[in-house]
Amino acid sequence: MRALPSSEVGQVRFTSSERTAPGVTFRTFETSGTGGRVEGDLLDVDLRSPKVSVGLLRPPVVAARRTVSEMADAQQAVAGVNGDFFNISETHPGVPPTGSSSGPTVDGGRPLKGAVPDGQRFGPGLPPGTSTEDVIGVGRDRRGHVARLRLTGTVRSGKKSIALRGLNQYALHVGGVGAFDSRWGEVSRQRAVCGTDEVRSAPCSTNTAEVTVRRGVVTGVSDTVGAGAIPSGTTVLVGREKGADALRRLRPGDRVRVSYRFTGPVRFRFAVGGFPILRDGEPLDGLSPNGPAPRTAAGVSRDGRHLYLVVADGRSERSGGLTVAELASLLDKVGADDAVNLDGGGSSTFVARAPGAASVTVRNSPSDGTQRAVANGIGVFTPDAAG
């Protein structure tokens, strides 16, 4: 196929179509871009169907990674793709990578984690006007949405009130305070006080504090950020700079109330982080021209009734991959009105369960030759499969 300018893919030709579940259609496609021929997979989910739902695929805890197949089978999904970019490597001496994702996540209508500062994220550069707080998901209205979720919260003790700006995330804003609970996992929380809002590799803060709150009562105050599993009913508050100074004013025995929520235009039942590449059917300005590479994306139709999950293979003789700008063009051509870019490269994975099968199979060709363990994903579920 003829290579085209980096902003647009060629004609999209569907090469197969399979109804994998009520309201769920799996298709393979061919197109072309600057890297030549491209092969990919598309899942069209009709959110109007009462027999299908979409939700978060995730490991048992936030600070962990699993393959998309492992997560899909553990949660009995019929299909899924990988999700957000994540903390896969670490340059701070002695600080372990957490494996956790960059953006916000909502699971079962509840906030699971917040977004790291923009300068602390992984992945291609953000287009102007976008943020790590951007997500794609399904709202309580059963429609797909691309929107922004900002975590707001407080730590209250008597007349003291401390702003809470983080939840189960691998990096906190400079001067901020974040909460960690049993959903975080056993990995050290030290990474949360490293880097700055603009520079991920900046040194770790030397002014830190950690406060343990058990059933609403402070049980410990320390200058050291710790590690290990957090028991149910316990919240660990971590602060840096001004946030650390504020936490040190708390004392063991103080009664504390920790509260938080996401603010934004949509009440999500499920959401995962991803940066917008298509809005109102138009690619955003400033999309990275780098690549081509394997890509994963998710989009929604204009009426929000259809969710599209896409993986374009790359780095092989059969499929050259896409630039982010070409990915936006592809999502537009397959029916999306709004879309986000998810983690790509070796993370790009598409799985689906054949009718009657006990487990999912990988439908694309991961560029590493095998699945990569990732932070989260988007799963498609049906009542029959869960039974």
Side-chain angles (χ1 to χ4, degrees), residues 221-238:
V221 180
S222 173
D223 290 335
T224 303
V225 179
I230 300 171
S232 177
T234 296
T235 300
V236 175
L237 302 171
V238 175

Side-chain angles (χ1 to χ4, degrees), residues 181-263:
D181 59 26
S182 60
R183 299 172 296 174
W184 169 252
E186 299 182 1
V187 176
S188 170
R189 299 172 289 277
Q190 177 68 27
R191 178 60 186 82
V193 298
C194 299
T196 66
D197 294 3
E198 293 79 28
V199 182
R200 190 174 68 215
S201 61
C204 300
S205 176
T206 56
N207 179 9
T208 64
E210 184 170 278
V211 171
T212 302
V213 180
R214 174 70 172 167
R215 301 195 186 283
V217 178
V218 174
T219 59
V221 180
S222 173
D223 290 335
T224 303
V225 179
I230 300 171
S232 177
T234 296
T235 300
V236 175
L237 302 171
V238 175
R240 55 180 299 178
E241 297 88 33
K242 290 182 179 179
D245 295 340
L247 288 181
R248 277 192 288 267
R249 298 188 186 102
L250 298 173
R251 297 288 184 268
D254 286 353
R255 298 200 65 82
V256 171
R257 182 174 183 269
V258 180
S259 61
Y260 53 81
R261 64 187 178 95
F262 280 133
T263 59

Side-chain angles (χ1 to χ4, degrees), residues 82-107:
N82 62 291
D84 198 2
F85 294 87
F86 55 94
N87 176 216
I88 192 173
S89 60
E90 195 48 70
T91 58
H92 298 92
V95 178
T98 67
S100 64
S101 62
S102 297
T105 54
V106 176
D107 188 18

Side-chain angles (χ1 to χ4, degrees), residues 1-5 8-10 31-38 292 321-322 326:
M1 294 184 180
R2 180 175 62 91
L4 294 170
E8 187 176 352
V9 295
T31 186
S32 61
T34 52
R37 183 173 184 267
V38 177
L322 298 171
E326 289 169 341

Side-chain angles (χ1 to χ4, degrees), residues 314-352:
R315 298 175 183 164
S316 73
E317 292 184 2
R318 291 181 58 87
S319 187
L322 298 171
T323 67
V324 176
E326 289 169 341
L327 184 65
S329 169
L330 172 65
L331 267 291
D332 176 43
K333 290 190 176 187
V334 300
D337 196 56
D338 295 327
V340 303
N341 181 42
L342 300 169
D343 193 10
S347 296
S348 286
T349 308
F350 193 116
V351 304

Side-chain angles (χ1 to χ4, degrees), residues 349-376:
T349 308
F350 193 116
V351 304
R353 188 190 308 185
S359 59
V360 298
T361 56
V362 179
R363 298 297 184 99
N364 74 311
S365 299
S367 63
D368 288 350
T370 186
Q371 293 184 77
R372 174 185 292 173
V374 296
N376 55 34

